[in-house]
Structures are given as structure tokens and as C-alpha cells.
Amino acid sequence: MTTPLLRLRGVTAGYAGIPAVRDLDLDLAEGEVLALLGPNGAGKTTTLLAAAGVIRPMRGTVEAFGRPLHRRLERNARAGLILVPDTRGVFHGLTVRENLALARRGGRDRTHEELFPALAGLMSRRCGLLSGGEQQMLALAKALAGRPRVLLVDEMSMGLAPVAVQALLPAVRSLADRFGVGVVLVEQHIDLALSIADRAIVLHHGRATLAGPAADLRADRHAVAEAYFGTAPNTLEAPPDGTDRQAARRPGEHLRHLRAG
Ligand SMILES: Nc1ncnc2c1ncn2[C@@H]1O[C@H](COP(=O)(O)OP(=O)(O)OP(=O)(O)O)[C@@H](O)[C@H]1O
């Protein structure tokens, strides 16, 4: 079995000793897009922060590329574990070209030109004058300059018009398909997220309440709604390999309701 790019096992993480995510398992394979869904405050961002090493779990383990996370964030980033925060991380006083040059640190990576051709005509524009969608494209383009192997993308679509989101999410899919990047995508647009994801996990009050192939979640909106609002039946199926901590199942398997509360 190939080593996942990212593996969380039994992760409980939070703030000031209070858990916001409890006992979470997650595997992310090369070229896979995993949607992390759930209502406000469910623990999605906390999961990303723990996965990126920004906050240290109270319990459980996080491994990237087969190794425990390094204590120094820049070491994890250099290995290819990149967090794209929802604050977009662009410098408003600088132009698009200057922002990209800073992110590339002298390198010549031009992948962004293929994925975001719209940026080509905006190179001399100050970022403070870009639309929300354009800023988000730039944030992703900057993340690409770090040569990610895993991208942790937090609410890329926040505040954007649906048409802008529809333009951005396929770029995320093609990052996975063309470059083998593994993506954990936190997203409020459930349908759009499921339309590009391979698998999904629904969180409710910090716990995974549903996990499975994205196609299965799309086909069973009732199960998604139940998981979203924490009313899913309390039926924890035993997975076929007997490892009862495996939260996210492989394509071809059925949806799994996970024990809530
Ligand atoms: N810095 C913090 N200090 C204390 N509590 C926090 C902090 N950040 C988040 N929380 C709490 O942790 C819980 C989970 O928050 P988190 O941001 O992970 O949820 P989320 O699913 O990403 O929500 P949203 O969709 O609203 O962004 C919430 O109850 C939130 O109030």
C-alpha cells in the first residue's frame, strides 16, 4: 500500500485546552481531492491548522509524506505541505507580478499561467484593486510557487460570487489531476465541492459524522443533511479491513455514518 501524503490518526485539537476537533482520522492520497464539509464552527479550519502543524494536537498523530510533522512550519512547507488560508495571503500594496515574484523567491515556476490565464492581463495591477475572485486566484498561484505536494485550502470561495467559484474549483481539480497534488478542500459550497472532490468528510461539532466517496454523498443528499446537522443515525459500520479508525473510505465503498457525540 502506498504511503498517504497526509495521515491524521485520532487527532483531537483545539484551543486553550478545549477540543474543537475530536478523534479525527484522515488519509489523503496523491492526486486526491478530499472535501471537508460541515456547518460553521464544526472544526474544519481547526483540522487544517492541525494538519499543517500550525496548532499541535492534544492527542493523536499527524504525518505528512510518511513522517511526523516537523516542529518548524517552514520545514513542512519546504517538504510541500502548504496551507492556503482564507485570508488570501496576498500583499495589497504590491502588484500581482511582485506578489508572485516574492512567492517564487527567484524561481521560474510558471504553472500559474496555465491554470489562471486571467492573471496574465493583471500583472501590473495592485492587488488591493483586484476582485475577490482575482485575489483568490493569486493566493492559489502563490501557493503553487511553493511547489506543493499537499494543499490545504480553507474556504477559497468565501465572499465570492458563484461564477467566480465555478472558475476556481476546476483549477484545484486540475492541480490534483495534472501534478498529483493532494488537496484538502474546506468549502461551504457543498455541491461544487462534491463535484470536484474524490472523497468527503462531514464534520459536526468537531466529529466526523459521515465519510465516503464524493459521488455517493452527491447521490444521498439526505445522508449529507443528517450528517451536517448532527442527526445521523448512530451506526458505526465496521470497515472491511477491521481498522475501525479509518474515517475516509476508498472510492467504490459506500457511505459510512460515523458515531456522533
Ligand atoms: N483561536 C481560537 N480560539 C478559541 N476558539 C477557537 C479559535 N478558533 C476557532 N475556535 C473555535 O473552535 C471551533 C471550531 O472552529 P473552526 O474555525 O475550526 O470551525 P469551522 O468549521 O472552520 O467554521 P467556519 O465554517 O465558521 O469557518 C468553534 O467553536 C470556534 O469558535
Side-chain angles (χ1 to χ4, degrees):
M1 195 182 126
T2 46
T3 309
L5 294 180
L6 185 67
R7 169 171 279 181
L8 274 60
R9 282 291 173 273
V11 166
T12 294
Y15 310 90
I18 300 170
V21 174
R22 292 167 200 267
D23 205 22
L24 184 70
D25 295 349
L26 179 159
D27 279 350
L28 181 72
E30 203 173 301
E32 185 171 48
V33 177
L34 173 69
L36 203 50
L37 307 172
N40 291 126
K44 304 178 297 293
T45 298
T46 306
T47 301
L48 289 196
L49 294 177
V54 176
I55 58 175
R56 220 161 281 154
M58 300 162 188
R59 280 196 301 279
T61 57
V62 181
E63 289 182 0
F65 321 119
R67 295 174 171 199
L69 287 191
H70 201 279
R71 293 174 85 85
R72 290 171 60 185
L73 292 182
E74 69 270 22
R75 292 282 291 271
N76 298 319
R78 230 179 290 147
L81 181 64
I82 307 279
L83 176 68
V84 186
D86 61 2
T87 43
R88 303 199 171 134
V90 300
F91 298 109
H92 284 203
L94 303 182
T95 64
V96 170
R97 182 177 292 107
E98 288 163 344
N99 264 280
L100 285 169
L102 274 180
R104 282 202 296 265
R105 295 194 196 116
R108 294 195 159 271
D109 188 281
R110 309 201 80 88
T111 316
H112 65 274
E113 289 175 4
E114 280 175 61
L115 286 176
F116 305 113
L119 286 180
L122 300 169
M123 284 294 164
S124 306
R125 191 169 297 180
R126 284 199 193 287
C127 293
L129 302 177
L130 297 178
S131 73
E134 289 162 350
Q135 287 191 23
Q136 194 56 65
M137 274 183 215
L138 180 58
L140 266 181
K142 288 182 72 169
L144 290 185
R147 297 187 180 281
R149 295 172 68 197
V150 169
L151 268 185
L152 305 168
V153 184
D154 198 0
E155 301 224 21
M156 198 170 58
S157 64
M158 193 154 67
L160 298 184
V163 67
V165 184
Q166 271 162 9
L168 276 168
L169 288 182
V172 170
R173 182 69 255 175
S174 63
L175 275 177
D177 291 341
R178 293 172 56 195
F179 306 108
V181 176
V183 182
V184 182
L185 183 69
V186 166
E187 191 43 72
Q188 290 289 0
H189 289 74
I190 302 175
D191 284 330
L192 281 173
L194 291 178
S195 72
I196 66 146
D198 299 294
R199 288 185 301 126
I201 296 177
V202 180
L203 293 179
H204 177 82
H205 280 182
R207 289 192 188 271
T209 47
L210 187 68
D216 288 1
L217 270 82
R218 280 171 76 189
D220 192 346
R221 303 308 309 270
H222 187 63
V224 174
E226 281 183 331
Y228 227 78
F229 298 109
T231 55
N234 198 2
T235 54
L236 182 69
E237 287 176 16
D241 63 359
T243 55
D244 67 348
R245 319 252 346 209
Q246 180 72 10
R249 298 180 64 163
R250 298 282 139 202
E253 293 175 338
H254 298 297
L255 289 183
R256 184 153 64 99
H257 293 286
L258 300 164
R259 192 181 298 278

